[in-house]
Amino acid sequence: MPVTLLPSPFPRHLYYEALALQPIINELSCKVANDLQFLQTTFQDVIKADEFTKNLLDINLKVNRDGLAQPVKFCINRSDYMLDRTDSRYPFRMRQVEVNAISCSMAAHSLNVSKLHEYIFKKYNIELRNSCEMPKNGGLELVADSLIEAFNIYNKPNSYVLFVVEDIAINFSDYYQIEINILKKRADIKSLRVPFSKLQDTINLGPNKELFVDGKEIAVVYLRHAYDPHHYEFSGSWETSLTVEQSRAIKCPSVNYHLAGAKKIQQVLNNARQLERFLTTKQANQLSEVYCKIWSLDSEDGYRLAKERSDGMVLKPQREGGGNNIYLDAIPKFVENLENDPVQRSQYILMEYIKNPSEKNWIFRNELCENDFSCDKIVSELGIYGSILDQRSSILEDKSSGYLVRSKRLGVNEGGVASGYAAISSLLLLDDLGNDESLYYQT
Ligand code: ADP
Ligand code: MG
């Protein structure tokens, strides 16, 4: 895993603001996910051209129509933010990039990097000034505790937590640390890891829709895969997803939460007025403070801005996991052919580009320092973890804690770690960020 040598400075008050927003984000996700009609209406144009989203929506509709075998719904999410310095009235503002609702990874690595940075500070006697803080990182704990709670709700001794993973588990150490963390707390909770593509050979439903894998009853299905169309490139993939969703096992996420995390939802609920449909006015105002402007590409304004103001925009389809967005000056050429194609245009959202301030740091990849040991200009993105367990839209448990910092070289657009763009960092909270030239500077 690539890591930074030093933690990333971040304004203390904005970090605590992000933590305070997480319960609101959890509540919003829960309400959106459980509003079947809202999901159907929001995606009605998207699915005309987007087969992947259509399949997810169809599964959600089918399991609701057939009657839910499992009324408890579960999601571990992560809300990602960047600092923004475009508005001269504020030294820095925080803007939300997106809320991830499926396979929110790196909680374990993030904790390890926090510990690594604490160790480096201790070993080299780097003293924290009074106002600095390296906050506790509870992301791994949140993931493990939430999976344990879901297991308890299922309430069947000798059942299992199933990790659904990629064929070649490149991120196995993240899974492994979650499993170990669960075992430390509850030695009786066993887990299994099965690649998504191998699941169909081993699963079957019992008389009460219990999910069995090789005869072992599954209490909780934790999806760390199956969020990208490429993951479905084997025969029977959608039938596998449907079987899992139809089962009594508690899914993380259930398909309705997966859908609620889509970029289209983010665009439709892009202002306080729209948010008031699900939240109080106070909550809606608080949350919309960190929103960027977002347009649908099938709106007149959206299409015009994509052609004319591409220097400040990101174009996004309904995809997760990195590598799918179109950035800045690549946008006009990309949208050129879509002018008379509203069906294709409706798949995309257009988002203001966040101008993240840079900092100085060193990135280590495969034990080697990038950039020949020279200090790099990097930009960092903060993610806050949350989790929700609900029963017919009333929240049973919800948690907000822990963080991930992903840092990438200035000028790199994408931000994923597993996808090879970013390194993992940790937080150094400061009160006077703007003045600390030695660690942090604006470009
Ligand atoms: P994905 O679902 O593929 O992770 P994201 O919306 O998170 O898609 O975008 C991927 C990365 O692109 C982010 O992690 C971030 O680094 C960058 N990015 C996304 N939106 C913006 C934006 N509005 N401004 C600047 N960078 C962005
Ligand atoms: Mg992302």
Side-chain angles (χ1 to χ4, degrees), residues 10 13 23 49-50 53 62 69 117 234 278 297 331 341 396 419:
F10 199 85
H13 70 286
D50 182 343
T53 307
K62 179 162 175 49
H117 288 160
F234 61 93
F278 297 106
L297 192 64
I331 296 175
D341 194 346
L396 302 172
S419 46

Side-chain angles (χ1 to χ4, degrees), residues 133-144:
E133 180 189 349
M134 290 163 117
K136 185 178 171 305
N137 194 349
L140 176 60
E141 201 92 335
L142 174 142
V143 173

Side-chain angles (χ1 to χ4, degrees), residues 386-398:
S387 74
I388 320 125
L389 272 156
D390 83 72
Q391 181 157 12
R392 301 195 194 284
S393 85
S394 80
I395 293 183
L396 302 172
E397 293 283 351
D398 103 272

